[in-house]
Amino acid sequence: MDIWTAEKLILLCFLLKGVYCTEYKVSLPEKIEALSGSCVIINCTFEIDKKHDKDLTESDATGLWFKDGTEENTHQVFNSRDPKPNHFNGKITGKLHEKDCTTVFDNVSSNHGGKYYFRIKNEDLKYTYITNTSTINVIDSPPKPRVQLYVEQDQEEVLEGSSVSLRCSAETLCSSPPPTLTWSSTPRIPLSESSRLQELISDLNFTATHREHGVTFTCTITYQLQDKNKTAQDSITVHIQYSPKNTSVSVVPSSSVLEGSSVTLICSSDANPAVNYTWSREREGQLEQLQTGDTLTFNRTDPTHRGWYHCTAQNQHGVQNSSVKLDIQYAPKNMSALAIASSSVLEGSSVTLICSSDANPAVNYTWSREREGQLEQLQTGQNLTFNRTDPTHRGWYHCTAQNQHGVQNSAVKLDIQYAPKNMSTLAIASSSVLEGSSVTLICSSDANPAVNYTWSREREGQLEQLQTGDTLTFNRTDPTHRGWYHCTAQNQHGVQNSAVKLDIQCEYYITANFTSSHSLAP
């Protein structure tokens, strides 16, 4: 029986639905993807009628492939023993005598796309398997790899500190050398990967930190072809949940602002999920809660707004705080000048004039004194001290407080008190007057506070008090008015006396005798 007759009998067996020919079958992948420019593998095994097994030898068995039909002259694309110029380059890598028809086609192009039929033949056998075929689809770009995220068991979210594994897997296409998987990230971070190229799987393992939050990890498969490399990618963006970090407070326009201006405190924090912000202020060692939100605004500042402000950033994973000191600057106000212990002091004692002012920043103080309607500058500094006062220190003292935002003045009057001194007693117009005329005795003294004057007259070695006041007047003198008159000047700090002798003359006899140094013990 020739080969053509045997093939017709085999075909007849197929048409009779395999009643007598159940041993003829082939195992092929139904669909195969092949990368243009690469190679393609058709995994193939077959079975034949057992009576032909002995004739299936390594030296005699031939494998043929047909595309899009089984007509030998127009559809044959490969012959393992008799390749033709119009056949595909390739080889059967399986052993036909062991019924392995696995075949590799090289330099795949769009012409390789189609439905493939396998035929086995030798000297006594020729059988084409038409029930099972393999369809090759030629693609220009490799299929995308698949990236998957794995987290710790019983964990729905990726929490900071947990173990994370990213797995990249890809379909294996025929390629020489084999394709490679590589990892990259945006933004770029150090990566540590492990690969199992025989399975075309690559794992990227790391411990989650906030630095990986929002990072996009990309897995790239690369086929190294003769003319150029072909790649495909898949990416995944990792979202890490973590407690607030890098919490800070900024101030616009500045943490040091002029009274009356507007200022905004801004709190920021790096966290996932987003935090809730709470503002507090220090008052007497305690934190007083003000409001929530990432900003705190004062539209018109005043000195009461000075102090430390605290921002608390919180989410379900933790809390972090940040603080800022708000400095409200203003011109001097509430200024005062005073004397310690008093502005009225006893001659010879010490006195300190102190100037104070509410201002920010601190002021410079300058002391001046009024002299003849003009201000004479004395010194700078908050205090002005006289270690031993005397009457020349009496008067108005002015303190000027000044910073870059303004000037304010205050004044204090220094009163130096002392006992009577430089006392004198005299008669107007003369202490020697003509009987019947008028005469006035006047007493004067330098003292602070003012003295009380008391007039007395010597009578028989005793002082007879006459009246008080700085003057003593006789409207019509007579000889009985002759004698010594004493004036006593007294304030709370001391007493001083002075005397004058009044001489009453008769007719043409005039004498005068005057002294201011005569005194009579009281």
Side-chain angles (χ1 to χ4, degrees):
M1 182 174 64
D2 59 18
I3 294 176
W4 178 246
T5 303
E7 189 174 35
K8 286 183 177 180
L9 289 174
I10 292 169
L11 179 58
L12 179 62
C13 287
F14 172 73
L15 293 175
L16 293 174
K17 301 185 183 298
V19 174
Y20 302 104
C21 308
T22 57
E23 299 301 323
Y24 289 92
K25 58 183 177 181
V26 69
S27 177
L28 295 169
E30 183 179 354
K31 293 181 180 180
I32 302 175
E33 281 197 333
L35 181 62
S36 176
S38 183
C39 55
V40 61
I41 300 174
I42 304 176
N43 293 309
C44 175
T45 60
F46 63 93
E47 295 291 338
I48 59 176
D49 194 307
K50 290 182 180 180
K51 67 182 180 180
H52 295 292
D53 283 352
K54 61 181 177 23
D55 299 321
L56 193 66
T57 63
E58 183 176 2
S59 59
D60 190 32
T62 301
L64 298 91
W65 287 98
F66 297 84
K67 183 171 82 74
D68 298 331
T70 59
E71 205 284 317
E72 189 161 354
N73 292 328
T74 59
H75 297 101
Q76 185 181 166
V77 294
F78 180 82
N79 187 314
S80 64
R81 290 191 181 275
D82 185 19
K84 298 292 190 292
N86 63 335
H87 283 184
F88 293 156
N89 292 328
K91 64 180 179 178
I92 294 180
T93 59
K95 296 179 179 180
L96 292 175
H97 64 283
E98 296 178 357
K99 301 176 183 177
D100 185 350
C101 50
T102 298
T103 303
V104 176
F105 293 138
D106 298 320
N107 300 322
V108 172
S109 69
S110 59
N111 292 333
H112 286 77
K115 183 182 289 187
Y116 284 77
Y117 301 84
F118 178 69
R119 175 183 292 176
I120 184 68
K121 78 174 185 175
N122 61 15
E123 185 176 349
D124 298 319
L125 173 66
K126 181 181 179 182
Y127 185 82
T128 303
Y129 297 89
I130 61 175
T131 55
N132 287 346
T133 61
S134 189
T135 300
I136 295 178
N137 177 35
V138 180
I139 57 176
D140 289 328
S141 299
K144 288 176 58 176
R146 183 185 181 195
V147 177
Q148 294 172 287
L149 171 68
Y150 298 92
V151 295
E152 294 179 353
Q153 189 175 8
D154 299 328
Q155 186 174 303
E156 295 182 359
E157 303 285 351
V158 182
L159 303 181
E160 186 172 33
S162 62
S163 297
V164 176
S165 179
L166 298 179
R167 170 161 292 183
C168 180
S169 57
E171 179 183 347
T172 304
L173 300 181
C174 179
S175 174
S176 180
T180 59
L181 293 175
T182 55
W183 288 96
S184 62
S185 65
T186 306
R188 185 184 298 270
I189 61 173
L191 303 177
S192 176
E193 58 185 282
S194 63
S195 299
R196 290 175 283 174
L197 293 179
Q198 65 274 20
E199 304 174 48
L200 215 56
I201 291 176
S202 179
D203 291 332
L204 180 63
N205 302 308
F206 57 90
T207 299
T209 70
H210 66 282
R211 287 181 291 273
E212 284 84 36
H213 175 62
V215 173
T216 298
F217 295 88
T218 301
C219 178
T220 302
I221 185 169
T222 303
Y223 287 84
Q224 299 180 17
L225 307 180
Q226 289 183 352
D227 53 346
K228 64 177 180 179
N229 291 347
K230 291 190 175 183
T231 62
Q233 296 178 334
D234 190 24
S235 300
I236 187 171
T237 300
V238 177
H239 299 281
I240 312 293
Q241 294 209 355
Y242 53 96
S243 62
K245 303 180 185 299
N246 305 320
T247 302
S248 65
V249 177
S250 58
V251 184
V252 177
S254 168
S255 61
S256 182
V257 296
L258 187 62
E259 178 183 17
S261 61
S262 172
V263 67
T264 298
L265 282 60
I266 304 172
C267 194
S268 62
S269 182
D270 178 18
N272 186 40
V275 298
N276 293 317
Y277 295 101
T278 304
W279 289 96
S280 303
R281 179 182 179 180
E282 284 186 22
R283 285 188 186 274
E284 300 176 358
Q286 301 293 321
L287 284 181
E288 172 192 351
Q289 185 171 323
L290 300 177
Q291 68 177 53
T292 58
D294 61 341
T295 61
L296 176 63
T297 299
F298 300 103
N299 292 319
R300 187 173 180 84
T301 55
D302 61 60
T304 63
H305 294 134
R306 281 187 298 178
W308 282 98
Y309 291 82
H310 300 265
C311 173
T312 300
Q314 183 173 14
N315 64 11
Q316 61 262 47
H317 303 299
V319 178
Q320 196 175 44
N321 298 288
S322 184
S323 303
V324 67
K325 187 176 184 180
L326 190 58
D327 184 33
I328 310 300
Q329 297 198 354
Y330 49 96
K333 60 178 68 178
N334 304 324
M335 189 174 177
S336 67
L338 53 88
I340 298 297
S342 169
S343 61
S344 182
V345 297
L346 186 61
E347 179 183 17
S349 61
S350 172
V351 67
T352 297
L353 305 182
I354 300 176
C355 197
S356 64
S357 176
D358 179 18
N360 188 33
V363 297
N364 293 318
Y365 293 101
T366 303
W367 285 97
S368 304
R369 180 181 178 180
E370 286 186 21
R371 284 189 186 274
E372 299 176 358
Q374 299 295 319
L375 285 180
E376 172 192 350
Q377 186 171 320
L378 301 177
Q379 67 176 51
T380 59
Q382 188 173 6
N383 300 336
L384 175 63
T385 298
F386 299 101
N387 293 318
R388 187 174 181 84
T389 55
D390 62 59
T392 63
H393 293 137
R394 281 187 297 177
W396 282 99
Y397 291 84
H398 296 261
C399 175
T400 300
Q402 182 173 12
N403 64 12
Q404 62 262 47
H405 303 301
V407 179
Q408 196 174 39
N409 296 286
S410 185
V412 60
K413 186 175 184 180
L414 188 59
D415 183 32
I416 309 301
Q417 297 195 355
Y418 49 93
K421 60 177 69 178
N422 304 321
M423 188 175 177
S424 67
T425 306
L426 55 88
I428 299 297
S430 170
S431 61
S432 181
V433 296
L434 187 63
E435 180 181 10
S437 62
S438 172
V439 66
T440 297
L441 307 180
I442 299 175
C443 192
S444 64
S445 175
D446 179 17
N448 188 33
V451 297
N452 292 316
Y453 292 102
T454 303
W455 287 96
S456 303
R457 178 181 179 179
E458 285 187 24
R459 284 187 185 275
E460 297 176 0
Q462 298 295 321
L463 283 179
E464 173 190 349
Q465 185 171 325
L466 300 177
Q467 67 177 49
T468 59
D470 61 342
T471 61
L472 177 61
T473 299
F474 299 100
N475 292 319
R476 185 176 181 83
T477 57
D478 59 54
T480 63
H481 292 139
R482 279 189 295 180
W484 284 98
Y485 291 84
H486 296 262
C487 176
T488 300
Q490 183 174 11
N491 64 12
Q492 61 263 46
H493 304 299
V495 178
Q496 196 175 38
N497 295 288
S498 182
V500 62
K501 187 176 183 181
L502 185 59
D503 184 27
I504 307 301
Q505 296 188 3
C506 298
E507 290 288 329
Y508 301 94
Y509 177 74
I510 300 174
T511 63
N513 191 353
F514 165 80
T515 182
S516 63
S517 60
H518 178 77
S519 61
L520 182 67

